[in-house]
Amino acid sequence: MSIWSRLSDFLDRTGAAIAGLRDVLLQLSGSERRKEIAFTIAMIALSAKMAKADGIVSFEEIETFERLFTVPPADEKNVARIYRLASADIAGFEAYAQDAARLLQDDPAMLEDILDALFAIAKADGAVHQRELSYLERVAAIFGFEGRDFERIRARHVHMGEADPWLVLGADPSWDEKQLRDRYRQLVRENHPDRLIARNVPEEFIAIANDRLAAINAAWEEIGRGRSFASRGSASDQ
């Protein structure tokens, strides 16, 4: 049974409206199951709310959501139902973000996965609009990513002028090659697709890890060209 079928079945069995799921989730047995459902609810609800941030729900945004999750045809009705519930809920997006932050407080990496997915959906129509960016910044703050942490995540998706590879890597120009290489290796390990699966993120979310790694590799290569060590191979190959 897919995550979508399980969640739809969960709604049927509990009789819960999506607005009341925060109370039901806390009563679920099994922390991993609770995490999985919380992650999915947060993604659907926050995606639905963000789609309204610029006043237009575009085909590209919906298509990107479906690409990230690869919804099986048999589950499309379940997903549509959950999405409609989230969209119709009078609760604001901050309530969903706060629920996710609380339920996933011991897993900041999963919260960052949610932000990456929301950025991917926001930029699907070719641009991240100011209202969407404000929305994302507020969600990030609730998740605990503020200041330079938010800028680092944003830099992977939105270039404010020229992309800053140092910001993407969370590195400093004063670092020597060893420090930079160690940082790069750390990021490759932490953001490998297999690590996402190990954190119980739905397998369909593998596209997030691939996009994140692509941004990290591009930043490393750009810095390497400037420092003349890119030609010696990427850190992940050594």
Side-chain angles (χ1 to χ4, degrees):
M1 183 181 289
S2 72
I3 180 62
W4 309 110
S5 297
R6 287 198 296 273
L7 184 50
S8 185
D9 179 65
F10 174 75
L11 289 169
D12 288 336
R13 286 186 293 102
T14 62
I18 203 158
L21 279 175
R22 62 182 63 95
D23 296 324
V24 179
L25 285 170
L26 293 173
Q27 299 172 23
L28 283 173
S29 59
S31 60
E32 293 308 322
R33 183 186 179 206
R34 183 166 63 244
K35 271 189 179 183
E36 184 180 28
I37 295 176
F39 178 90
T40 306
I41 291 171
M43 255 330 305
I44 297 174
L46 291 173
S47 297
K49 298 293 183 184
M50 188 184 65
K52 294 182 178 181
D54 61 357
I56 301 173
V57 181
S58 71
F59 170 79
E60 290 83 4
E61 288 173 332
I62 296 173
E63 186 178 51
T64 300
F65 178 87
E66 293 174 346
R67 175 179 65 84
L68 290 174
F69 284 103
T70 316
V71 179
D75 289 324
E76 287 177 354
K77 289 184 178 179
N78 291 329
V79 176
R81 176 191 174 208
I82 296 164
Y83 194 93
R84 283 196 303 271
L85 283 170
S87 300
D89 185 10
I90 61 173
F93 73 90
E94 292 181 336
Y96 290 111
Q98 289 162 356
D99 291 341
R102 183 174 68 253
L103 290 165
L104 302 174
Q105 60 184 319
D106 62 338
D107 198 342
M110 190 173 282
L111 292 172
E112 189 165 340
D113 293 334
I114 293 174
L115 283 173
D116 271 328
L118 291 174
F119 263 107
I121 293 168
K123 67 183 182 182
D125 58 0
V128 178
H129 303 284
Q130 185 56 51
R131 281 182 289 181
E132 290 174 324
L133 192 58
S134 297
Y135 174 98
L136 289 162
E137 189 169 9
R138 178 57 184 147
V139 171
I142 293 172
F143 285 0
F145 300 101
E146 297 185 88
R148 189 168 177 82
D149 283 334
F150 176 71
E151 291 175 3
R152 172 178 55 82
I153 297 169
R154 182 184 64 188
R156 293 200 291 259
H157 304 279
V158 182
H159 299 164
M160 312 301 283
E162 290 296 319
D164 185 348
W166 299 98
L167 191 56
V168 172
L169 294 186
D172 190 280
S174 65
W175 291 2
D176 60 24
E177 180 179 340
K178 182 180 184 306
Q179 288 175 296
L180 288 169
R181 197 174 291 274
D182 287 346
R183 174 60 175 167
Y184 173 66
R185 285 185 174 131
Q186 176 191 355
L187 290 175
V188 169
R189 287 194 303 269
E190 291 177 351
N191 293 286
H192 193 279
D194 289 345
R195 291 289 292 270
L196 255 71
I197 295 173
R199 295 203 308 266
N200 293 297
V201 173
E203 288 187 21
E204 295 89 349
F205 233 56
I206 206 70
I208 294 296
N210 288 332
D211 290 347
R212 188 184 294 173
L213 269 180
I216 290 168
N217 285 329
W220 166 257
E221 291 171 5
E222 183 174 347
I223 291 173
R225 285 193 296 271
R227 292 290 186 91
S228 301
F229 57 75
S231 60
R232 298 203 294 272
S234 69
S236 58
D237 297 329
Q238 298 182 19

